[in-house]
Amino acid sequence: MAYIEVKHNTKTYPSGETTVDANHDISFEIEKGQLVIILGSSGAGKSTLLNILGGMDTNTSGQVIIDGHDIALYSRKELTAYRRNDVGFVFQFYNLVPNLTAKENVELASQIVKESMDAEQALASVGLADRTGNFPAQLSGGEQQRVAIARAIAKKPKLLLCDEPTGALDYETGKQVVQILQDMSRKDGSTVIIVTHNAALAPIGDQVIHIHDGQVKQIDRQDHPADIASLEW
Ligand SMILES: Nc1ncnc2c1ncn2[C@@H]1O[C@H](COP(=O)(O)OP(=O)(O)O)[C@@H](O)[C@H]1O
Ligand SMILES: [Mg+2]
Protein backbone atom coordinates (compact mmCIF):
# COMPACT_ATOMS: atom_id res chain seq x y z
CA MET A 1 0.00 0.00 0.00
CA ALA A 2 1.32 3.44 -0.92
CA TYR A 3 1.87 6.02 1.81
CA ILE A 4 -0.85 8.26 0.37
CA GLU A 5 -3.74 6.85 -1.66
CA VAL A 6 -6.37 9.23 -2.96
CA LYS A 7 -9.25 7.36 -4.58
CA HIS A 8 -12.10 9.01 -6.49
CA ASN A 9 -11.84 12.21 -4.45
CA THR A 10 -14.63 14.65 -5.30
CA LYS A 11 -15.38 18.01 -3.71
CA THR A 12 -18.58 19.76 -4.69
CA TYR A 13 -19.35 23.39 -3.81
CA PRO A 14 -22.74 25.05 -4.22
CA SER A 15 -22.62 27.73 -6.91
CA GLY A 16 -25.83 29.74 -7.23
CA GLU A 17 -28.62 27.40 -8.36
CA THR A 18 -26.18 24.64 -9.34
CA THR A 19 -22.95 23.12 -8.01
CA VAL A 20 -19.31 23.07 -9.08
CA ASP A 21 -16.92 20.15 -8.70
CA ALA A 22 -13.68 21.78 -7.49
CA ASN A 23 -12.24 18.23 -7.45
CA HIS A 24 -13.79 15.56 -9.67
CA ASP A 25 -12.91 11.87 -9.28
CA ILE A 26 -9.23 12.51 -8.46
CA SER A 27 -7.06 9.43 -7.85
CA PHE A 28 -3.29 9.09 -7.33
CA GLU A 29 -0.70 7.49 -5.06
CA ILE A 30 2.36 8.96 -3.35
CA GLU A 31 5.21 6.97 -1.79
CA LYS A 32 6.84 7.98 1.48
CA GLY A 33 9.71 10.43 0.96
CA GLN A 34 8.59 11.57 -2.48
CA LEU A 35 8.58 15.18 -3.64
CA VAL A 36 5.40 15.65 -5.64
CA ILE A 37 4.42 18.63 -7.78
CA ILE A 38 0.71 19.27 -8.27
CA LEU A 39 0.55 21.47 -11.34
CA GLY A 40 -2.39 23.38 -12.75
CA SER A 41 -3.64 26.82 -13.67
CA SER A 42 -5.59 29.12 -11.37
CA GLY A 43 -8.98 27.65 -10.46
CA ALA A 44 -7.94 24.09 -11.38
CA GLY A 45 -8.71 22.79 -7.89
CA LYS A 46 -5.19 22.54 -6.46
CA SER A 47 -5.78 24.35 -3.16
CA THR A 48 -9.00 22.41 -2.63
CA LEU A 49 -7.04 19.17 -3.03
CA LEU A 50 -4.21 20.29 -0.75
CA ASN A 51 -6.66 21.44 1.92
CA ILE A 52 -8.39 18.04 1.82
CA LEU A 53 -5.01 16.25 2.12
CA GLY A 54 -4.16 18.46 5.10
CA GLY A 55 -7.44 17.93 6.91
CA MET A 56 -8.36 21.61 6.57
CA ASP A 57 -11.34 20.79 4.41
CA THR A 58 -13.44 17.64 3.96
CA ASN A 59 -14.33 16.04 0.65
CA THR A 60 -17.77 15.20 -0.67
CA SER A 61 -16.89 11.62 -1.66
CA GLY A 62 -13.89 9.36 -2.13
CA GLN A 63 -11.09 8.00 0.03
CA VAL A 64 -8.08 9.98 1.28
CA ILE A 65 -5.81 7.38 2.85
CA ILE A 66 -2.76 8.72 4.66
CA ASP A 67 -0.41 6.15 6.19
CA GLY A 68 -3.18 3.56 6.29
CA HIS A 69 -5.94 5.80 7.67
CA ASP A 70 -8.80 7.20 5.61
CA ILE A 71 -8.94 10.80 6.84
CA ALA A 72 -12.15 11.35 4.84
CA LEU A 73 -13.84 9.34 7.61
CA TYR A 74 -12.32 11.36 10.46
CA SER A 75 -14.45 13.35 12.91
CA ARG A 76 -13.67 17.05 13.43
CA LYS A 77 -11.74 16.14 16.55
CA GLU A 78 -9.65 13.53 14.72
CA LEU A 79 -8.97 16.03 11.95
CA THR A 80 -7.75 18.57 14.49
CA ALA A 81 -5.32 16.02 15.93
CA TYR A 82 -4.21 15.03 12.41
CA ARG A 83 -3.53 18.66 11.42
CA ARG A 84 -1.67 19.29 14.66
CA ASN A 85 0.50 16.19 14.77
CA ASP A 86 0.98 14.98 11.23
CA VAL A 87 0.92 17.91 8.83
CA GLY A 88 3.16 20.91 8.19
CA PHE A 89 1.78 23.74 6.04
CA VAL A 90 3.62 26.37 3.98
CA PHE A 91 1.56 29.08 2.27
CA GLN A 92 2.25 31.64 -0.44
CA PHE A 93 2.19 34.60 1.96
CA TYR A 94 4.10 32.99 4.87
CA ASN A 95 1.42 33.71 7.53
CA LEU A 96 3.93 34.61 10.25
CA VAL A 97 2.83 36.39 13.41
CA PRO A 98 4.25 39.94 13.00
CA ASN A 99 5.01 40.71 16.64
CA LEU A 100 6.81 37.44 17.37
CA THR A 101 10.45 36.79 16.49
CA ALA A 102 11.47 34.10 14.02
CA LYS A 103 12.22 31.75 16.90
CA GLU A 104 8.92 32.50 18.63
CA ASN A 105 7.03 31.91 15.40
CA VAL A 106 8.63 28.47 15.12
CA GLU A 107 7.98 27.69 18.80
CA LEU A 108 4.31 28.50 18.27
CA ALA A 109 4.12 25.33 16.17
CA SER A 110 6.71 23.15 17.90
CA GLN A 111 5.18 23.65 21.35
CA ILE A 112 1.87 22.07 20.38
CA VAL A 113 3.32 18.66 19.52
CA LYS A 114 5.07 16.04 21.66
CA GLU A 115 7.96 15.10 19.42
CA SER A 116 9.17 18.41 18.08
CA MET A 117 12.44 19.73 16.72
CA ASP A 118 14.20 22.48 18.65
CA ALA A 119 13.21 25.88 17.16
CA GLU A 120 16.80 27.02 16.74
CA GLN A 121 17.70 23.76 15.04
CA ALA A 122 14.76 24.13 12.64
CA LEU A 123 15.84 27.69 11.79
CA ALA A 124 19.45 26.56 11.32
CA SER A 125 18.30 23.88 8.87
CA VAL A 126 16.85 26.58 6.60
CA GLY A 127 19.97 28.73 6.88
CA LEU A 128 18.63 31.22 9.44
CA ALA A 129 20.70 30.37 12.53
CA ASP A 130 21.79 34.00 12.86
CA ARG A 131 18.30 35.54 12.42
CA THR A 132 16.39 33.79 15.21
CA GLY A 133 15.76 37.05 17.11
CA ASN A 134 14.51 39.02 14.10
CA PHE A 135 10.88 39.99 13.60
CA PRO A 136 9.22 39.17 10.24
CA ALA A 137 9.34 42.81 9.10
CA GLN A 138 13.13 42.73 9.52
CA LEU A 139 13.42 39.77 7.12
CA SER A 140 13.19 39.57 3.31
CA GLY A 141 10.34 37.66 1.64
CA GLY A 142 12.58 34.66 1.07
CA GLU A 143 13.76 34.69 4.68
CA GLN A 144 10.18 34.93 5.92
CA GLN A 145 9.25 31.94 3.78
CA ARG A 146 12.19 30.03 5.24
CA VAL A 147 10.89 30.84 8.75
CA ALA A 148 7.52 29.49 7.62
CA ILE A 149 9.21 26.28 6.43
CA ALA A 150 11.12 26.01 9.73
CA ARG A 151 7.81 26.41 11.55
CA ALA A 152 6.28 23.64 9.45
CA ILE A 153 9.16 21.17 9.85
CA ALA A 154 9.66 21.84 13.58
CA LYS A 155 6.60 19.68 14.15
CA LYS A 156 8.39 16.79 12.36
CA PRO A 157 5.30 16.28 10.22
CA LYS A 158 4.57 13.11 8.27
CA LEU A 159 3.57 15.31 5.41
CA LEU A 160 4.72 18.77 4.32
CA LEU A 161 2.11 20.59 2.21
CA CYS A 162 3.10 23.74 0.32
CA ASP A 163 0.57 25.92 -1.53
CA GLU A 164 2.36 28.12 -4.10
CA PRO A 165 5.42 28.45 -1.80
CA THR A 166 7.37 30.49 -4.37
CA GLY A 167 4.40 32.53 -5.58
CA ALA A 168 5.47 35.74 -3.84
CA LEU A 169 9.22 35.31 -4.32
CA ASP A 170 11.66 36.41 -7.00
CA TYR A 171 13.45 33.84 -9.10
CA GLU A 172 16.65 33.32 -7.11
CA THR A 173 14.89 33.40 -3.75
CA GLY A 174 12.25 31.02 -5.04
CA LYS A 175 14.97 28.61 -6.08
CA GLN A 176 16.53 28.65 -2.59
CA VAL A 177 13.17 27.83 -1.04
CA VAL A 178 12.52 24.99 -3.49
CA GLN A 179 16.03 23.65 -2.83
CA ILE A 180 15.22 23.42 0.88
CA LEU A 181 12.00 21.54 0.09
CA GLN A 182 13.79 19.11 -2.25
CA ASP A 183 16.50 18.51 0.38
CA MET A 184 13.80 17.67 2.91
CA SER A 185 12.53 14.92 0.71
CA ARG A 186 15.94 13.67 -0.47
CA LYS A 187 17.97 13.95 2.74
CA ASP A 188 15.38 13.72 5.52
CA GLY A 189 12.94 11.37 3.81
CA SER A 190 10.00 13.76 4.31
CA THR A 191 7.02 13.48 2.01
CA VAL A 192 6.61 16.90 0.39
CA ILE A 193 3.77 18.09 -1.84
CA ILE A 194 4.11 21.39 -3.69
CA VAL A 195 1.11 22.94 -5.40
CA THR A 196 2.00 25.42 -8.15
CA HIS A 197 0.83 26.99 -11.41
CA ASN A 198 4.49 27.34 -12.45
CA ALA A 199 5.34 24.58 -14.94
CA ALA A 200 9.05 25.38 -14.53
CA LEU A 201 8.97 23.54 -11.20
CA ALA A 202 7.75 20.29 -12.76
CA PRO A 203 11.21 18.77 -13.51
CA ILE A 204 12.20 18.63 -9.82
CA GLY A 205 9.39 16.29 -8.73
CA ASP A 206 9.57 12.52 -8.32
CA GLN A 207 6.03 12.74 -9.60
CA VAL A 208 4.04 15.48 -11.34
CA ILE A 209 0.25 15.40 -11.08
CA HIS A 210 -1.38 17.64 -13.69
CA ILE A 211 -4.77 19.02 -12.62
CA HIS A 212 -7.21 20.72 -15.00
CA ASP A 213 -10.84 21.65 -14.28
CA GLY A 214 -10.80 19.66 -11.06
CA GLN A 215 -9.56 16.47 -12.74
CA VAL A 216 -6.25 14.64 -13.09
CA LYS A 217 -5.17 15.05 -16.71
CA GLN A 218 -1.83 13.29 -16.53
CA ILE A 219 0.65 11.86 -14.04
CA ASP A 220 4.37 11.87 -14.87
CA ARG A 221 6.77 9.71 -12.86
CA GLN A 222 10.33 10.99 -13.02
CA ASP A 223 13.05 8.54 -11.98
CA HIS A 224 15.73 11.21 -12.21
CA PRO A 225 14.27 14.53 -11.07
CA ALA A 226 16.22 17.64 -12.04
CA ASP A 227 18.46 19.50 -9.65
CA ILE A 228 17.18 22.93 -8.69
CA ALA A 229 20.35 24.62 -9.98
CA SER A 230 19.42 23.58 -13.54
CA LEU A 231 15.95 25.21 -13.39
CA GLU A 232 14.99 28.27 -15.39
CA TRP A 233 11.76 30.24 -15.00
N1 LIG B 1 -15.30 27.75 -0.65
C1 LIG B 1 -15.64 27.69 -1.94
N2 LIG B 1 -16.91 27.87 -2.34
C2 LIG B 1 -17.26 27.78 -3.64
N3 LIG B 1 -16.40 27.54 -4.65
C3 LIG B 1 -15.11 27.36 -4.32
C4 LIG B 1 -14.66 27.43 -2.96
N4 LIG B 1 -13.31 27.20 -2.94
C5 LIG B 1 -12.95 26.99 -4.23
N5 LIG B 1 -14.02 27.09 -5.04
C6 LIG B 1 -14.02 26.91 -6.51
O1 LIG B 1 -13.39 25.68 -6.79
C7 LIG B 1 -12.55 25.78 -7.92
C8 LIG B 1 -11.11 25.39 -7.54
O2 LIG B 1 -10.55 26.35 -6.64
P1 LIG B 1 -9.11 26.19 -6.01
O3 LIG B 1 -8.98 24.83 -5.42
O4 LIG B 1 -8.87 27.34 -5.11
O5 LIG B 1 -8.17 26.28 -7.30
P2 LIG B 1 -6.60 26.60 -7.44
O6 LIG B 1 -5.97 26.50 -6.10
O7 LIG B 1 -6.11 25.57 -8.41
O8 LIG B 1 -6.50 27.98 -8.01
C9 LIG B 1 -12.68 27.21 -8.41
O9 LIG B 1 -13.64 27.24 -9.44
C10 LIG B 1 -13.17 27.95 -7.20
O10 LIG B 1 -13.92 29.08 -7.57
MG1 LIG C 1 -4.85 27.86 -5.04
Side-chain angles (χ1 to χ4, degrees):
M1 189 183 232
Y3 193 58
I4 297 175
E5 291 189 8
V6 174
K7 296 181 187 175
H8 309 296
N9 172 57
T10 293
K11 174 68 178 183
T12 307
Y13 286 115
S15 171
E17 300 285 285
T18 60
T19 58
V20 56
D21 279 359
N23 283 177
H24 183 81
D25 197 17
I26 287 182
S27 298
F28 57 82
E29 295 186 354
I30 294 176
E31 299 297 337
K32 194 174 171 71
Q34 278 194 330
L35 171 65
V36 175
I37 306 289
I38 296 179
L39 184 64
S41 52
S42 177
K46 308 182 298 295
S47 294
T48 301
L49 176 58
L50 204 72
N51 291 343
I52 289 169
L53 284 168
M56 290 193 289
D57 200 354
T58 50
N59 68 0
T60 308
S61 60
Q63 291 176 286
V64 184
I65 300 166
I66 313 280
D67 200 10
H69 301 276
D70 186 356
I71 67 165
L73 301 175
Y74 276 7
S75 64
R76 291 186 71 86
K77 204 173 165 189
E78 288 171 315
L79 282 175
T80 302
Y82 168 70
R83 282 195 302 270
R84 176 183 301 157
N85 298 315
D86 296 340
V87 189
F89 296 101
V90 176
F91 303 98
Q92 180 172 358
F93 296 110
Y94 332 130
N95 295 5
L96 300 177
V97 181
N99 53 357
L100 296 182
T101 64
K103 185 179 171 190
E104 288 165 343
N105 264 281
V106 175
E107 284 170 345
L108 205 58
S110 63
Q111 284 166 352
I112 63 170
V113 297
K114 280 195 211 105
E115 294 276 314
S116 65
M117 193 190 286
D118 175 67
E120 293 196 1
Q121 187 194 337
L123 284 162
S125 73
V126 297
L128 291 176
D130 55 349
R131 309 302 297 273
T132 59
N134 284 112
F135 293 93
Q138 299 171 317
L139 301 169
S140 70
E143 288 165 343
Q144 290 183 58
Q145 190 60 302
R146 279 146 65 194
V147 174
I149 293 172
R151 180 181 57 186
I153 62 170
K155 296 200 306 180
K156 294 192 184 165
K158 280 182 179 176
L159 190 56
L160 186 59
L161 302 178
C162 315
D163 196 343
E164 304 276 6
T166 63
L169 303 176
D170 63 57
Y171 170 69
E172 275 307 324
T173 316
K175 269 186 161 181
Q176 287 171 14
V177 163
V178 173
Q179 183 72 63
I180 291 168
L181 296 174
Q182 192 181 54
D183 286 348
M184 277 169 193
S185 126
R186 287 194 176 173
K187 296 179 185 159
D188 301 342
S190 304
T191 307
V192 181
I193 303 179
I194 301 177
V195 153
T196 182
H197 65 277
N198 183 357
L201 290 182
I204 67 164
D206 296 302
Q207 208 184 148
V208 186
I209 300 172
H210 300 259
I211 306 277
H212 183 75
D213 273 348
Q215 300 182 57
V216 173
K217 283 291 151 193
Q218 189 180 324
I219 296 180
D220 300 323
R221 287 185 185 75
Q222 306 185 131
D223 291 337
H224 302 285
D227 285 319
I228 311 294
S230 67
L231 287 193
E232 294 290 343
W233 78 73

Coordinates of all heavy atoms in Angstrom, one line a residue, residues 3 17 22 24 31 44 70 76 84 93 106-107 122 127-128 141 143 157 166-167 197 202 207 226:
Y3 N 2.0 5.2 0.6 CA 1.9 6.0 1.8 C 0.6 6.9 1.8 O -0.1 7.1 2.8 CB 3.1 6.9 1.9 CG 3.3 7.6 3.2 CD1 3.4 6.9 4.4 CD2 3.4 9.0 3.3 CE1 3.5 7.5 5.6 CE2 3.6 9.6 4.5 CZ 3.7 8.9 5.6 OH 3.8 9.5 6.8
E17 N -27.6 28.4 -8.3 CA -28.6 27.4 -8.4 C -28.0 26.0 -8.5 O -28.7 25.0 -8.3 CB -29.5 27.7 -9.6 CG -30.2 29.0 -9.5 CD -31.4 29.0 -8.5 OE1 -32.4 28.4 -8.7 OE2 -31.2 29.6 -7.4
A22 N -15.0 21.2 -7.6 CA -13.7 21.8 -7.5 C -12.7 20.6 -7.7 O -11.6 20.9 -8.2 CB -13.5 22.5 -6.2
H24 N -12.9 16.5 -9.1 CA -13.8 15.6 -9.7 C -13.1 14.2 -9.9 O -12.2 14.1 -10.8 CB -14.4 16.1 -11.0 CG -15.4 15.2 -11.6 ND1 -16.7 15.2 -11.2 CD2 -15.2 14.3 -12.6 CE1 -17.3 14.2 -11.9 NE2 -16.5 13.7 -12.8
E31 N 4.4 7.8 -2.7 CA 5.2 7.0 -1.8 C 5.9 7.9 -0.7 O 6.1 9.0 -1.0 CB 6.3 6.3 -2.6 CG 5.8 5.3 -3.7 CD 5.0 4.2 -3.1 OE1 5.1 3.8 -1.9 OE2 4.2 3.6 -3.9
A44 N -7.9 25.5 -11.0 CA -7.9 24.1 -11.4 C -8.4 23.2 -10.3 O -8.9 22.0 -10.5 CB -6.5 23.7 -11.8
D70 N -8.0 6.4 6.5 CA -8.8 7.2 5.6 C -9.3 8.4 6.3 O -10.2 8.4 7.1 CB -10.0 6.4 5.1 CG -10.8 7.1 4.0 OD1 -10.5 8.3 3.8 OD2 -11.8 6.5 3.5
R76 N -14.3 15.7 13.3 CA -13.7 17.1 13.4 C -12.5 17.0 14.4 O -11.4 17.6 14.2 CB -14.6 18.1 13.9 CG -15.7 18.5 12.9 CD -16.5 19.7 13.3 NE -15.7 20.9 13.3 CZ -15.6 21.7 12.2 NH1 -16.2 21.4 11.1 NH2 -14.9 22.8 12.3
R84 N -2.6 18.9 13.7 CA -1.7 19.3 14.7 C -0.4 18.4 14.6 O 0.7 18.9 14.7 CB -2.3 19.2 16.0 CG -1.3 19.6 17.2 CD -2.0 19.4 18.5 NE -3.1 20.3 18.6 CZ -4.1 20.1 19.5 NH1 -4.1 19.1 20.3 NH2 -5.1 21.0 19.6
F93 N 1.9 33.3 1.3 CA 2.2 34.6 2.0 C 2.6 34.4 3.4 O 2.3 35.2 4.3 CB 1.0 35.6 1.9 CG 0.7 36.0 0.4 CD1 -0.4 35.5 -0.2 CD2 1.6 36.8 -0.3 CE1 -0.7 35.9 -1.5 CE2 1.4 37.1 -1.6 CZ 0.3 36.7 -2.2
V106 N 8.4 29.9 15.3 CA 8.6 28.5 15.1 C 8.1 27.7 16.4 O 7.5 26.7 16.3 CB 10.1 28.2 14.8 CG1 10.4 26.7 14.8 CG2 10.5 28.8 13.5
E107 N 8.4 28.3 17.5 CA 8.0 27.7 18.8 C 6.5 27.6 18.9 O 5.9 26.6 19.5 CB 8.5 28.5 20.0 CG 10.0 28.2 20.2 CD 10.6 29.2 21.2 OE1 9.9 30.2 21.6 OE2 11.7 28.9 21.7
A122 N 15.6 24.0 13.8 CA 14.8 24.1 12.6 C 15.2 25.4 11.8 O 15.3 25.3 10.6 CB 13.3 24.2 13.0
G127 N 18.9 27.7 7.1 CA 20.0 28.7 6.9 C 19.7 30.0 7.6 O 20.3 31.1 7.2
L128 N 19.0 30.0 8.7 CA 18.6 31.2 9.4 C 19.1 31.2 10.9 O 18.5 31.9 11.7 CB 17.1 31.5 9.4 CG 16.5 31.8 8.0 CD1 15.0 31.9 8.1 CD2 17.1 33.1 7.5
G141 N 11.4 38.6 1.9 CA 10.3 37.7 1.6 C 10.8 36.2 1.7 O 10.2 35.3 2.3
E143 N 13.4 35.1 3.3 CA 13.8 34.7 4.7 C 12.5 34.4 5.5 O 12.4 33.4 6.3 CB 14.6 35.8 5.3 CG 16.0 35.9 4.8 CD 16.7 37.2 5.2 OE1 16.0 38.1 5.6 OE2 18.0 37.2 5.1
P157 N 6.5 16.8 10.8 CA 5.3 16.3 10.2 C 5.5 15.1 9.3 O 6.6 14.9 8.7 CB 4.8 17.5 9.4 CG 6.0 18.2 9.0 CD 7.0 18.0 10.1
T166 N 6.5 29.5 -3.7 CA 7.4 30.5 -4.4 C 6.6 31.6 -5.0 O 7.2 32.5 -5.7 CB 8.3 29.8 -5.4 OG1 7.4 29.3 -6.5 CG2 9.1 28.7 -4.8
G167 N 5.3 31.6 -4.9 CA 4.4 32.5 -5.6 C 4.7 34.0 -5.4 O 4.5 34.8 -6.2
H197 N 1.3 26.8 -10.0 CA 0.8 27.0 -11.4 C 2.0 27.1 -12.3 O 1.9 27.3 -13.5 CB 0.0 28.3 -11.5 CG 0.7 29.5 -11.2 ND1 0.9 29.9 -9.9 CD2 1.4 30.4 -12.0 CE1 1.7 31.0 -9.9 NE2 2.0 31.3 -11.2
A202 N 8.1 21.7 -12.5 CA 7.8 20.3 -12.8 C 9.0 19.4 -12.8 O 8.9 18.3 -12.2 CB 7.0 20.1 -14.1
Q207 N 7.3 13.0 -8.9 CA 6.0 12.7 -9.6 C 5.4 14.1 -9.9 O 5.5 15.0 -9.0 CB 5.2 11.9 -8.6 CG 4.2 11.1 -9.3 CD 3.2 10.3 -8.3 OE1 2.1 10.1 -8.7 NE2 3.7 10.0 -7.1
A226 N 15.2 16.6 -11.8 CA 16.2 17.6 -12.0 C 16.7 18.3 -10.7 O 16.0 18.3 -9.8 CB 15.7 18.7 -13.0

